[in-house]
Amino acid sequence: MLRLLTVYKRPLSASPKSQSISTSRLFTVLAFESSADDTCVAIVNSEREILSNVVIKQHDEHERFGGIQPYVALQKHQRNMPIAVKRAFTEANMTVNDIDGIAFTRGPGMHGCLAVGANAAKSLAAALNKPLIGVHHMQAHALTPLLTQPTSEIPQFPFLTLLVSGGHTLLLLANKIDQYEILATTKDESIGRAFDQVSALLEIPWNKDFGPGAALEQLCAKGPPIALVSETGSSSKSIERTVGEFPRPLKGKLEFSFAGLHSHIDRLVKNKETWKDFNPEQVKYILANGFQQAAVGQLEEKLALGMKECRRRGLEINHVVVSGGVASNTFLRKRLRACLGELSPTNPIHLVFPPPALCTDNAVMIAWASMHRFLAEDFDDLTIDLRPKWSIHDLRMD
Ligand code: AMP
Ligand code: ZN
């Protein structure tokens, strides 16, 4: 059990709207997340304790498709969800009687996948007569540091959020717990997908513990596989010259684009004739590094533009939250820290990352993002529909 510091207290005067909730103890949420390829169930309470966090990954099943295959993901969720539920209760040493409310990811995500978590949540809520809340997946990523940071370091609204995941690349202005403005989004693919695709193009081996993005980062961090001068005398400099400049898309604009980086690598990899005199491992190392630097460089540029935009509006931003799977990248963390240091050398901006295990998809974040609504007794109906496409901008529009 991970014990964190207290932040939410149940209002003692609460009067339930439809379900009966005991006011004499803290509030405990059972949450489901199945929007993409991870089957997740967690139990979290209002004292910021993570009582269990089960994530069953499906990397292996999707590797041969080069991306998430919706029907395969749906089948695996159906098989894994009951196992995840059982494990979550065992890990927490709890029974359904200890649960006060049930939360699930309402969207955005793949319809069939979302439905597995939603149906499990709704059925349990109906059978147990517990309140139910449907959560926005990206809001949950953005709010994770409000759970994981020590109380003295909890981000204060308004703050900036950079969400870098397999499905999204978003720069958000978080004005309130339920009010977000999209400052920048991607016009083509997400940064996570670009990492995955480039990793596949470079044939970087990965496994169920380290997916393709993490494997690419590891390759870059290892350093050159052998001295960067080959038998033919070709140096890293001449490899880099051959690689050329990486595109810097939409420079000066509050918009992301990663398809150009990905296709730049695609073109280079396919042009086998160019590389015949070079050591393939060196080429792989330089291409992977070039891509990672260009992708993270784009995040730095857009973050700087976002900060400038907030300043233009007279908003004082003291915290930047970076979350989503790609936020577990150590190179990214170092570069963004340096970038914010340069942007505001005298008035340090706090850069906040959830722990890597809570950067990728999980149900802990879903439980936590539902907590303020449970405590305010702002429940959803059992007939609540899914929102596979759901802009965070429209969070409170039902
Ligand atoms: P999410 O959609 O939030 O679960 O994040 C999954 C995405 O994050 C996938 O595209 C992963 O390849 C990517 N990812 C995970 N770890 C890393 C890493 N260390 N570096 C780059 N990308 C990563
Ligand atoms: Zn996610």
Side-chain angles (χ1 to χ4, degrees), residues 319-346:
H319 290 89
V320 173
V321 169
V322 186
S323 194
V326 186
S328 46
N329 184 297
T330 313
F331 174 77
L332 172 152
R333 289 177 175 226
K334 274 197 205 134
R335 286 279 295 264
L336 293 186
R337 197 155 270 135
C339 166
L340 283 181
E342 278 169 28
L343 283 175
S344 184
T346 48

Short mmCIF file of all heavy atoms in Angstrom, two decimals, residues 319-346:
data_model
loop_
_atom_site.label_atom_id
_atom_site.label_comp_id
_atom_site.label_asym_id
_atom_site.label_seq_id
_atom_site.Cartn_x
_atom_site.Cartn_y
_atom_site.Cartn_z
N HIS A 319 3.39 26.31 -11.93
CA HIS A 319 3.58 24.85 -12.07
C HIS A 319 3.33 24.40 -13.50
O HIS A 319 2.40 24.87 -14.14
CB HIS A 319 2.60 24.10 -11.16
CG HIS A 319 2.91 24.23 -9.71
ND1 HIS A 319 2.42 25.24 -8.94
CD2 HIS A 319 3.68 23.47 -8.90
CE1 HIS A 319 2.86 25.11 -7.71
NE2 HIS A 319 3.64 24.04 -7.65
N VAL A 320 4.15 23.48 -13.94
CA VAL A 320 3.90 22.80 -15.21
C VAL A 320 3.86 21.30 -14.90
O VAL A 320 4.81 20.75 -14.33
CB VAL A 320 5.00 23.11 -16.26
CG1 VAL A 320 4.82 22.26 -17.50
CG2 VAL A 320 5.01 24.59 -16.62
N VAL A 321 2.75 20.67 -15.26
CA VAL A 321 2.58 19.23 -15.02
C VAL A 321 2.82 18.50 -16.33
O VAL A 321 2.22 18.87 -17.35
CB VAL A 321 1.14 18.95 -14.52
CG1 VAL A 321 0.86 17.46 -14.51
CG2 VAL A 321 0.94 19.55 -13.13
N VAL A 322 3.67 17.52 -16.33
CA VAL A 322 3.90 16.74 -17.55
C VAL A 322 3.53 15.29 -17.26
O VAL A 322 4.07 14.68 -16.33
CB VAL A 322 5.36 16.84 -18.04
CG1 VAL A 322 5.53 16.14 -19.38
CG2 VAL A 322 5.78 18.30 -18.15
N SER A 323 2.59 14.76 -18.03
CA SER A 323 2.12 13.40 -17.77
C SER A 323 1.83 12.66 -19.07
O SER A 323 2.00 13.22 -20.15
CB SER A 323 0.87 13.47 -16.88
OG SER A 323 0.60 12.20 -16.35
N GLY A 324 1.39 11.41 -18.95
CA GLY A 324 1.21 10.55 -20.13
C GLY A 324 2.45 9.67 -20.25
O GLY A 324 3.51 9.99 -19.68
N GLY A 325 2.33 8.58 -20.98
CA GLY A 325 3.40 7.59 -21.06
C GLY A 325 4.76 8.13 -21.44
O GLY A 325 5.79 7.72 -20.88
N VAL A 326 4.80 9.08 -22.38
CA VAL A 326 6.09 9.59 -22.87
C VAL A 326 6.79 10.42 -21.77
O VAL A 326 8.01 10.58 -21.80
CB VAL A 326 5.90 10.42 -24.17
CG1 VAL A 326 7.23 10.83 -24.77
CG2 VAL A 326 5.13 9.60 -25.21
N ALA A 327 6.03 10.87 -20.78
CA ALA A 327 6.62 11.67 -19.69
C ALA A 327 7.54 10.83 -18.80
O ALA A 327 8.25 11.38 -17.96
CB ALA A 327 5.53 12.32 -18.85
N SER A 328 7.55 9.50 -18.99
CA SER A 328 8.49 8.71 -18.20
C SER A 328 9.89 8.74 -18.83
O SER A 328 10.83 8.21 -18.26
CB SER A 328 7.99 7.27 -18.03
OG SER A 328 7.54 6.77 -19.25
N ASN A 329 10.03 9.41 -19.97
CA ASN A 329 11.32 9.50 -20.67
C ASN A 329 12.27 10.45 -19.90
O ASN A 329 11.98 11.62 -19.71
CB ASN A 329 11.04 10.02 -22.08
CG ASN A 329 12.28 10.07 -22.95
OD1 ASN A 329 13.21 10.80 -22.65
ND2 ASN A 329 12.27 9.30 -24.01
N THR A 330 13.42 9.91 -19.49
CA THR A 330 14.36 10.67 -18.66
C THR A 330 14.99 11.83 -19.43
O THR A 330 15.21 12.92 -18.87
CB THR A 330 15.48 9.73 -18.16
OG1 THR A 330 14.86 8.56 -17.68
CG2 THR A 330 16.30 10.35 -17.07
N PHE A 331 15.28 11.62 -20.70
CA PHE A 331 15.87 12.68 -21.53
C PHE A 331 14.90 13.86 -21.60
O PHE A 331 15.28 15.02 -21.42
CB PHE A 331 16.17 12.12 -22.92
CG PHE A 331 16.64 13.15 -23.91
CD1 PHE A 331 17.95 13.62 -23.86
CD2 PHE A 331 15.79 13.64 -24.89
CE1 PHE A 331 18.38 14.58 -24.77
CE2 PHE A 331 16.22 14.58 -25.80
CZ PHE A 331 17.52 15.05 -25.74
N LEU A 332 13.61 13.56 -21.82
CA LEU A 332 12.56 14.59 -21.87
C LEU A 332 12.52 15.37 -20.55
O LEU A 332 12.44 16.60 -20.54
CB LEU A 332 11.23 13.91 -22.17
CG LEU A 332 9.93 14.71 -22.10
CD1 LEU A 332 8.91 14.10 -23.05
CD2 LEU A 332 9.33 14.78 -20.72
N ARG A 333 12.58 14.64 -19.44
CA ARG A 333 12.50 15.28 -18.13
C ARG A 333 13.64 16.29 -17.94
O ARG A 333 13.42 17.42 -17.50
CB ARG A 333 12.53 14.23 -17.01
CG ARG A 333 11.26 13.43 -16.98
CD ARG A 333 11.29 12.32 -15.95
NE ARG A 333 9.97 11.70 -15.91
CZ ARG A 333 9.30 11.40 -14.82
NH1 ARG A 333 9.82 11.61 -13.64
NH2 ARG A 333 8.11 10.85 -14.89
N LYS A 334 14.85 15.85 -18.31
CA LYS A 334 16.02 16.74 -18.15
C LYS A 334 15.89 17.97 -19.04
O LYS A 334 16.13 19.09 -18.62
CB LYS A 334 17.30 15.98 -18.56
CG LYS A 334 17.90 15.19 -17.46
CD LYS A 334 19.34 14.83 -17.82
CE LYS A 334 19.74 13.58 -17.08
NZ LYS A 334 20.42 12.59 -17.88
N ARG A 335 15.49 17.74 -20.28
CA ARG A 335 15.42 18.86 -21.24
C ARG A 335 14.34 19.86 -20.85
O ARG A 335 14.54 21.07 -20.96
CB ARG A 335 15.18 18.32 -22.65
CG ARG A 335 16.41 17.67 -23.27
CD ARG A 335 17.36 18.71 -23.85
NE ARG A 335 16.77 19.40 -24.97
CZ ARG A 335 16.95 19.08 -26.24
NH1 ARG A 335 17.72 18.07 -26.56
NH2 ARG A 335 16.36 19.76 -27.20
N LEU A 336 13.17 19.38 -20.40
CA LEU A 336 12.10 20.31 -20.03
C LEU A 336 12.47 21.10 -18.78
O LEU A 336 12.14 22.27 -18.64
CB LEU A 336 10.77 19.59 -19.85
CG LEU A 336 10.15 18.98 -21.11
CD1 LEU A 336 8.77 18.43 -20.83
CD2 LEU A 336 10.05 20.01 -22.25
N ARG A 337 13.19 20.45 -17.87
CA ARG A 337 13.64 21.14 -16.65
C ARG A 337 14.57 22.29 -17.05
O ARG A 337 14.42 23.41 -16.59
CB ARG A 337 14.35 20.12 -15.75
CG ARG A 337 14.48 20.60 -14.34
CD ARG A 337 14.60 19.46 -13.34
NE ARG A 337 13.30 19.04 -12.85
CZ ARG A 337 12.90 17.79 -12.72
NH1 ARG A 337 13.69 16.82 -13.09
NH2 ARG A 337 11.71 17.51 -12.25
N ALA A 338 15.51 22.00 -17.94
CA ALA A 338 16.46 23.02 -18.39
C ALA A 338 15.72 24.14 -19.12
O ALA A 338 16.01 25.33 -18.93
CB ALA A 338 17.51 22.39 -19.29
N CYS A 339 14.75 23.76 -19.93
CA CYS A 339 13.99 24.73 -20.72
C CYS A 339 13.26 25.72 -19.80
O CYS A 339 13.32 26.94 -19.99
CB CYS A 339 13.02 23.97 -21.61
SG CYS A 339 11.73 24.95 -22.36
N LEU A 340 12.59 25.19 -18.75
CA LEU A 340 11.85 26.08 -17.84
C LEU A 340 12.81 26.94 -17.03
O LEU A 340 12.51 28.10 -16.73
CB LEU A 340 10.96 25.26 -16.90
CG LEU A 340 9.69 24.72 -17.52
CD1 LEU A 340 8.87 23.95 -16.49
CD2 LEU A 340 8.82 25.84 -18.10
N GLY A 341 13.98 26.40 -16.71
CA GLY A 341 15.01 27.17 -15.99
C GLY A 341 15.43 28.38 -16.82
O GLY A 341 15.58 29.49 -16.30
N GLU A 342 15.57 28.17 -18.12
CA GLU A 342 15.97 29.27 -19.01
C GLU A 342 14.84 30.28 -19.17
O GLU A 342 15.07 31.48 -19.23
CB GLU A 342 16.33 28.74 -20.39
CG GLU A 342 17.75 28.18 -20.46
CD GLU A 342 17.98 27.42 -21.75
OE1 GLU A 342 17.34 27.73 -22.77
OE2 GLU A 342 18.81 26.48 -21.71
N LEU A 343 13.60 29.77 -19.22
CA LEU A 343 12.46 30.67 -19.43
C LEU A 343 12.21 31.60 -18.25
O LEU A 343 11.75 32.72 -18.41
CB LEU A 343 11.18 29.85 -19.67
CG LEU A 343 10.99 29.23 -21.03
CD1 LEU A 343 9.75 28.37 -21.04
CD2 LEU A 343 10.88 30.33 -22.09
N SER A 344 12.47 31.08 -17.06
CA SER A 344 12.18 31.89 -15.87
C SER A 344 13.30 31.69 -14.84
O SER A 344 13.11 31.03 -13.82
CB SER A 344 10.81 31.45 -15.31
OG SER A 344 10.45 32.24 -14.23
N PRO A 345 14.46 32.29 -15.11
CA PRO A 345 15.63 32.02 -14.24
C PRO A 345 15.46 32.56 -12.82
O PRO A 345 15.97 31.97 -11.87
CB PRO A 345 16.79 32.71 -14.96
CG PRO A 345 16.19 33.56 -16.01
CD PRO A 345 14.77 33.18 -16.21
N THR A 346 14.74 33.68 -12.65
CA THR A 346 14.65 34.28 -11.31
C THR A 346 13.47 33.75 -10.50
O THR A 346 13.56 33.64 -9.28
CB THR A 346 14.52 35.82 -11.43
OG1 THR A 346 13.50 36.09 -12.39
CG2 THR A 346 15.85 36.46 -11.85
#
